[in-house]
Amino acid sequence: MVQLKLKSPYILLILMLLLSFLVFSVWSARQASTRGSQVSDLNYYSKGLKYNNTRIEERAAASRGWQLETEIQNRILNFRLSDATGQPIRQAIGELTLFLKKENRVLHLQPTESQPGIYQLKLPDAISGSLQARIEFEQQGARINRQLLVNL
């Protein structure tokens, strides 16, 4: 019977370390291939570091029953913001974000409140075509936002 003599006790320790590394690698590869992604919201990474705050604000607006109606007339966007009972929501802070593909830039515009709960915004004459936009209103920690397609 052949018996191997180990010249150093560290050789066995290194072999055990390598073996445990290989076992862990196989286990983690199996976990990754069978369990999939644990991210439940596909837009999680698009919101950045403010994700949790934004979700809380959206839930606050939803619990208050906020409604947002949008219409466009003669390059003027009108937004009607109301609560669940139809009462206007006053003094909300709004921002319209226009994505200009042709110019490869983003334009931020602030609507002004013309009447209680009615916010208006005149679109610049220099822009035309179909534009993707996002409107967002915030008041007292509640936020509502919508994606829009603006055709000029």
Side-chain angles (χ1 to χ4, degrees), residues 55-66:
R55 297 298 296 162
I56 290 169
E57 292 165 345
E58 288 173 357
R59 286 187 195 123
S63 69
R64 294 181 186 178
W66 281 18

Side-chain angles (χ1 to χ4, degrees), residues 45-111:
Y45 295 107
S46 68
K47 306 227 181 356
L49 297 175
K50 287 179 44 181
Y51 178 77
N52 288 334
N53 291 341
T54 303
R55 297 298 296 162
I56 290 169
E57 292 165 345
E58 288 173 357
R59 286 187 195 123
S63 69
R64 294 181 186 178
W66 281 18
Q67 303 292 324
L68 179 63
E69 298 173 22
T70 306
E71 68 176 26
I72 186 170
Q73 292 178 341
N74 301 326
R75 300 186 74 84
I76 297 176
L77 275 170
N78 293 306
F79 302 101
R80 181 181 306 270
L81 188 59
S82 58
D83 62 11
T85 62
Q87 295 298 314
I89 297 174
R90 302 174 188 191
Q91 299 176 351
I93 299 169
E95 181 178 61
L96 178 74
T97 306
L98 285 170
F99 304 99
L100 306 173
K101 287 184 184 178
K102 292 179 185 176
E103 300 166 18
N104 198 21
R105 68 183 180 114
V106 177
L107 186 62
H108 299 280
L109 304 169
Q110 276 72 35

Side-chain angles (χ1 to χ4, degrees), residues 14 24 40-41 45 58 82 92 119 136 141 144 148-150:
I14 291 172
F24 178 73
S40 61
D41 187 349
Y45 295 107
E58 288 173 357
S82 58
Y119 300 85
E136 194 169 87
I144 187 169
L148 303 173
L149 181 61
V150 179

